[in-house]
Amino acid sequence: MAQGSDSNDTSYKSPSPGSRPSSSDDVKKVMRREKNRIAAQKSRMRQTQKADNLHLESENLQKENAALKKEVKQLTEEAKYLSSVLSSHEPLCTGLAPQTPELIYPAPHHSSYHQHITVPHYQH
C-alpha cells in the first residue's frame, strides 16, 4: 500500500509540504497514519531480522549435520575394522571360553599371549 493512501478513506488527501490539517480530526488521522507507518516499518525490520537469523541457524545446522555424518562414517569404518580384527583373532583364542571375565580379559601377566594383535590408533 502506498504511503499516505488508505483504501477505506477516499476523502483523505495527503497534506502538501506547506499546508496544515484544518481540524483536530485531520491531525488525529495524520498522527495515526504516522504511527502506523512507523509500526509497519519496525514490523518489516523485525521480520527481516528473524529471516536472517533463521538463515544463519540453518547454515550452522547444515554444517553440524555434515560434521556428524562424517563422524558417523569414520566410526562405522572403525567398527568394521575392529570387527574384522576380532573375527580374525577369535580362532587364535581357542582356549578362551566366555565363562569368567578373567578368561576374556586376561590379567596383565598374560598379555604376552596377545602381542600379535596390532590396532591402529584413529584420530578423531
Side-chain angles (χ1 to χ4, degrees):
M1 198 178 282
Q3 182 179 345
S5 68
D6 187 353
S7 61
N8 295 333
D9 183 7
T10 57
S11 65
Y12 178 77
K13 301 287 185 235
S14 178
S16 57
S19 68
R20 302 191 113 204
S22 60
S23 71
S24 65
D25 287 341
D26 288 341
V27 171
K28 288 179 183 178
K29 283 182 184 179
V30 169
M31 295 299 288
R32 186 183 76 234
R33 287 187 179 173
E34 181 64 16
K35 280 180 149 181
N36 186 287
R37 184 187 66 78
I38 292 170
Q41 189 176 28
K42 286 181 180 180
S43 176
R44 286 188 294 272
M45 286 173 53
R46 283 191 302 268
Q47 189 175 7
T48 301
Q49 184 64 43
K50 186 176 180 180
D52 290 346
N53 290 341
L54 286 173
H55 182 73
L56 289 174
E57 183 180 1
S58 173
E59 286 178 344
N60 290 335
L61 289 172
Q62 286 175 355
K63 288 177 186 175
E64 183 180 355
N65 190 32
L68 289 171
K69 283 182 179 183
K70 183 178 179 182
E71 184 178 2
V72 165
K73 184 178 179 184
Q74 289 174 338
L75 291 173
T76 301
E77 290 174 7
E78 183 178 359
K80 285 180 186 177
Y81 172 77
L82 292 174
S83 179
S84 70
V85 167
L86 178 63
S87 294
S88 65
H89 180 70
E90 281 177 335
L92 302 174
C93 294
T94 56
L96 296 180
Q99 296 162 343
T100 62
E102 292 81 28
L103 291 177
I104 296 172
Y105 304 105
H109 64 308
H110 292 121
S111 64
S112 62
Y113 177 74
H114 295 282
Q115 286 181 352
H116 63 279
I117 299 175
T118 58
V119 178
H121 295 283
Y122 289 93
Q123 292 180 343
H124 296 284

